Amino acid sequence: LVTGLSGAGKVSILRALEDLGYEAVDNPPLTLIEILVSRSERPLAVGVDARSRGFDAGLVLATLARLKQKPELRPELVFAWADEAVLLRRYTETRRRHPLAPLGRVVDGIADETALTQKLRDAADLVLDTSDLPLPELRRMIEQRFRTAPSEGASDSGLTVSLLSFAFPAGLPREADMVLDVRFLRNPHYDPILRPGTGLDAEVAAYVEADPDFAQFYESVLGLLRLVLPRFVQEGKKYATVAVGCTGGRHRSVWIVERLAQDLAHGPGMDIETQGWQVTITHRELARDGVQTRTIGAHPHGMDTASPAQAREA
């Protein structure tokens, strides 16, 4: 089920899922969702929002709860969100009317819809903040998470770990399950030679690791993840997002994400059954420079194993 605020990218998410082979249905009456699920021969992506006939967040959640009781199904709720200022700008650019304020102010419609869908956001398996997310990156995120359709034999027991670097001044990633602050490490930004580079460069990585407290900090973080990730699996989580932040989101956090990704995907002692987690790497601030999300780690259908150097070239 794909839902969210009008103008936040729900239709783009549905189109991305449709391109992945899902049967996409936008805004059917809520009473038809279970019928659609029972009759669909392909993975199904259903869009529901305030425009849906008889829309009610409680009814959507009740429908989702009934679907989760069926062992042959793996229902998930995706919620698309964006800042009010961004939504206002998008409505201004498109000159569309808000569905909840066709004759009134857009800002009032946004406020009403936010209140109306709050329960769905709280219950969502994935909340996508599209405020500063380019459309190609949104599509890549959807492809990384949903590209293996349930009907194609994907394992229902694995955990995908998403590692995300970001800059604190640009805001916390709302989808994060854990947030690590690495601003205490010495900053390559103050070295004129290293400043133009990123954490994908060997010289920057070496500079960060030369901090006297780096080794102890890194081993502590790795030990924490070795403890909690298997527990996430026991709790039934399919995705865990670990966000690593620094001041600019270009040096320290980028390298730590890269090193954690290698250790989680290939390091010993991470997962007894698979000898490594499937890890998705996203550098939020570097994405504006064309650095793409990529996935490493064992997977039955084969994964992208691009190196940091290849990511930098991309």
Side-chain angles (χ1 to χ4, degrees), residues 3 18-19 22 29 38 66 69 81 111 122 148 153 162 175 202 206 213 236 252 258 269 289 303:
T3 187
E18 190 171 28
D19 291 342
Y22 284 72
S38 66
R66 288 193 296 271
Q69 293 176 358
W81 187 92
D122 294 340
T148 302
S162 178
E175 67 272 26
D213 291 322
R252 294 165 291 182
E258 290 290 335
D289 299 331
M303 304 303 298

Side-chain angles (χ1 to χ4, degrees), residues 2-310:
V2 182
T3 187
L5 301 182
S6 301
K10 179 176 68 71
V11 174
S12 297
I13 294 172
L14 284 174
R15 288 174 179 169
L17 289 168
E18 190 171 28
D19 291 342
L20 292 175
Y22 284 72
E23 183 177 358
V25 182
D26 193 13
N27 281 307
L30 296 183
T31 54
L32 294 183
I33 291 178
E34 291 176 87
I35 297 176
L36 289 171
V37 171
S38 66
R39 295 182 179 179
S40 178
E41 298 180 356
R42 291 190 290 157
L44 184 65
V46 179
V48 292
D49 59 27
R51 296 173 297 144
S52 300
R53 187 188 310 171
F55 177 81
D56 178 87
L59 292 178
V60 175
L61 293 177
T63 300
L64 191 65
R66 288 193 296 271
L67 293 176
K68 288 183 175 181
Q69 293 176 358
K70 300 181 180 181
E72 72 275 15
L73 299 179
R74 190 176 63 181
E76 292 190 72
L77 181 63
V78 179
F79 192 95
W81 187 92
D83 288 323
E84 180 184 280
V86 174
L87 294 175
L88 286 172
R89 186 184 72 242
R90 291 174 182 174
Y91 272 98
T92 299
E93 292 172 351
T94 61
R95 299 183 180 181
R96 295 185 61 191
R97 295 176 177 176
H98 195 282
L100 295 188
L103 301 178
R105 300 189 307 165
V106 172
V107 67
D108 294 332
I110 294 174
D112 291 343
E113 190 173 35
T114 299
L116 192 63
T117 59
Q118 184 61 48
K119 290 182 179 179
L120 297 179
R121 180 179 175 182
D122 294 340
D125 298 287
L126 175 63
V127 178
L128 291 171
D129 181 1
T130 67
S131 301
D132 298 312
L133 196 63
L135 182 57
E137 185 62 23
L138 173 62
R139 290 183 62 88
R140 278 192 291 270
M141 292 176 68
I142 295 299
E143 290 167 1
Q144 291 289 346
R145 178 150 178 170
F146 297 106
R147 64 179 171 182
T148 302
S151 64
E152 294 175 357
S155 172
D156 193 42
S157 60
L159 174 74
T160 296
V161 181
S162 178
L163 298 178
L164 169 69
S165 69
F166 72 98
F168 273 97
L172 289 172
R174 293 176 174 85
E175 67 272 26
D177 296 293
M178 300 173 61
V179 177
L180 303 174
D181 186 345
V182 300
R183 288 176 291 185
F184 70 93
L185 295 172
R186 63 178 189 167
N187 192 350
H189 174 80
Y190 295 111
D191 186 317
I193 297 177
L194 299 179
R195 182 181 303 170
T198 73
L200 300 175
D201 298 314
E203 297 83 0
V204 173
Y207 183 92
V208 174
E209 292 200 6
D211 187 295
D213 291 322
F214 175 85
Q216 181 180 356
F217 167 76
Y218 184 81
E219 288 304 318
S220 298
V221 169
L222 200 56
L224 175 64
L225 294 177
R226 285 183 172 134
L227 171 67
V228 301
L229 292 180
R231 294 299 300 269
F232 283 170
V233 174
Q234 293 178 21
E235 294 297 322
K237 288 179 67 69
K238 300 303 178 187
Y239 304 91
T241 300
V242 180
V244 182
C246 61
T247 305
R250 300 183 60 84
H251 297 109
R252 294 165 291 182
S253 61
V254 170
W255 169 241
I256 291 176
V257 161
E258 290 290 335
R259 180 164 171 178
L260 282 174
Q262 293 298 324
D263 284 336
L264 291 175
H266 307 301
M270 295 309 304
D271 184 347
I272 295 176
E273 294 185 357
T274 64
Q275 296 301 313
W277 305 97
Q278 180 181 324
V279 182
T280 297
I281 304 166
T282 302
H283 299 301
R284 191 179 73 178
E285 316 311 335
L286 296 187
R288 300 183 179 90
D289 299 331
V291 176
Q292 300 180 1
T293 294
R294 68 190 199 280
T295 299
I296 64 174
H299 190 277
H301 300 291
M303 304 303 298
D304 175 12
T305 56
S307 67
Q310 291 171 317

